[in-house]
């Protein structure tokens, strides 16, 4: 399954099953309307506890709590 709000948008594709099985998730996306908060807390929670998230893109791809 794809993240619903991204279905049909090219070239961004995030498979939810991949988040649950991957040991490493690496983001390589431009910042923009289509990628804003690409991964939120609920999607990050799908990742394995020992998995690593590598964000080589912009911070706006992650929906993080404000400090």
């Amino acid at each position: 399954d794809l993240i619903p709000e991204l279905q049909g948008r090219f070239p961004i594709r995030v498979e939810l099953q991949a988040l649950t099985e991957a040991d490493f998730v690496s983001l390589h996306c431009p910042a923009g309307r289509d990628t804003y908060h690409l991964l939120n807390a609920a999607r990050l929670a799908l990742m394995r506890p020992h998995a690593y998230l590598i964000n080589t893109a912009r911070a706006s791809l992650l929906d993080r709590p404000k400090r």
Side-chain angles (χ1 to χ4, degrees):
D1 290 340
L2 296 176
I3 293 175
E5 59 268 27
L6 297 179
Q7 288 184 5
R9 294 188 184 173
F10 180 81
I12 300 158
R13 180 179 171 98
V14 176
E15 299 211 19
L16 296 177
Q17 183 177 357
L19 290 176
T20 65
E21 297 176 0
D23 291 322
F24 294 89
V25 174
S26 185
L27 301 177
H28 305 272
C29 306
R33 182 185 70 214
D34 292 341
T35 60
Y36 184 75
H37 290 171
L38 182 66
L39 292 181
N40 59 20
R43 293 175 189 136
L44 290 171
L46 294 174
M47 293 176 63
R48 293 175 168 190
H50 65 275
Y52 288 90
L53 174 64
I54 303 163
N55 183 10
T56 63
R58 301 300 221 164
S60 65
L61 272 67
L62 301 177
D63 182 12
R64 298 174 294 163
K66 305 268 188 243
R67 290 186 184 208

